[in-house]
Amino acid sequence: MTRPRQVIGNWKMNTTRTEAVELAYRIGTVAPRSAVVGVAPPFPWLAPVADVLRGGSVQLGAQTCSAYAHGAYTGEVSAGMLAEACSFVLVGHSERRTLFSETDDIVRAKLKAALGAGLNAILCVGESLDEREAGEHELVVTRQLRAALDGVPGDAGDRITIAYEPVWAIGTGRNATPDDASTMAELILTASGELGLSNPQVLYGGSVNAANAESLIAGAAIGGFLVGGASLKADDFLAIVAAADV
Ligand code: PGA
């Protein structure tokens, strides 16, 4: 069954409490026709943003979760705790992989923790600039997928979304071309199908904005967007939602 398109805003470590609430309020007024719209605010703003979004259609998510269930893990937030407040969580974002040393094994453990807690997961994969220039992008992304999905039951496919986010496109203003994004999305769909995942969906992320969203979504394999910088401005984010919500 074809899944509805998704547009997810990753606010990263941005916004004051007041800004988060205002942004959520603006986004919460959108009534998408068919797309799923979600936002992932910083941890401390999950509760106030949940209050704003309550009763509406915009989904709430977290930007990461612990690989552990509970216990003496200072500073960590478990997937079970998040499941009380959110419906989804990002796993394996490239900033987590590169700045916080998240290995493929950690990403897999987090993915399993998220699914086990009943959360939907957005698994992020993508190659670095060096890897792209060396022609290794397909290999790298396939390796990341294999590693993350190892042991994940195929019927969890409906609850897993894969975000293709080339690292060189994140926050750089340099997006992948629609052709490149679509080619990689097709590769990811094929590889995840071969890994036994039922009904996977692929988002594109990396410098998505109001001006390029329409051409990027034209790729048949692109099921929506994971948006960073442009998700912090309600008008820009809503324009991206409009481009995907057809
Ligand atoms: P960007 O970030 O849209 O600012 O490039 C995307 C992401 O990191 O998810």
Side-chain angles (χ1 to χ4, degrees):
M1 206 183 75
T2 313
R3 290 168 59 174
R5 283 180 174 166
Q6 294 188 62
V7 182
I8 306 294
N10 172 13
W11 296 358
K12 308 193 181 184
M13 199 171 73
N14 294 300
T15 65
T16 62
R17 180 189 173 105
T18 304
E19 287 165 350
V21 164
E22 280 176 13
L23 188 53
Y25 180 76
R26 288 283 315 278
I27 293 168
T29 58
V30 68
R33 269 173 287 184
S34 61
V36 172
V37 177
V39 293
F43 282 137
W45 311 152
L46 285 173
V49 167
D51 284 344
V52 174
L53 298 179
R54 186 159 297 121
S57 64
V58 175
Q59 308 282 304
L60 183 62
Q63 299 171 16
T64 186
C65 66
S66 179
Y68 302 103
H70 54 81
Y73 300 103
T74 301
E76 291 283 89
V77 180
S78 74
M81 293 168 182
L82 292 171
E84 305 246 4
C86 303
S87 61
F88 71 91
V89 62
L90 309 184
V91 176
H93 190 281
S94 67
E95 286 151 17
R96 302 294 319 169
R97 293 179 190 258
T98 55
L99 302 174
F100 301 98
S101 311
E102 281 189 14
T103 62
D104 282 337
D105 286 345
I106 295 174
V107 173
R108 176 172 57 248
K110 290 188 171 199
L111 180 62
K112 286 186 175 168
L115 295 171
L119 289 166
N120 294 334
I122 300 182
L123 168 66
C124 304
V125 296
E127 79 284 357
S128 68
L129 186 58
D130 284 353
E131 290 161 342
R132 165 69 59 167
E133 285 176 344
E136 291 168 358
H137 44 289
E138 297 192 356
L139 261 174
V140 168
V141 165
T142 310
R143 190 208 71 224
Q144 290 173 337
L145 274 177
R146 269 185 215 290
L149 295 175
D150 187 30
V152 170
D155 60 7
D158 276 323
R159 295 170 49 216
I160 300 175
T161 301
I162 297 153
Y164 169 59
E165 297 206 304
V167 179
W168 46 270
I170 295 180
T172 59
R174 180 183 165 193
N175 60 286
T177 65
D179 276 356
D180 283 345
S182 192
T183 302
M184 289 303 284
E186 274 163 32
L187 172 101
I188 290 167
L189 285 176
T190 307
S192 17
E194 283 167 7
L195 290 166
L197 207 65
S198 63
N199 212 12
Q201 184 182 40
V202 180
L203 311 183
Y204 168 77
S207 296
V208 177
N209 59 38
N212 62 25
E214 203 170 316
S215 58
L216 282 162
I217 201 76
I222 306 285
F225 299 120
L226 179 55
V227 187
S231 73
L232 295 168
K233 295 190 195 109
D235 288 341
D236 290 5
F237 186 67
L238 293 176
I240 295 167
V241 170
D245 187 31
V246 285

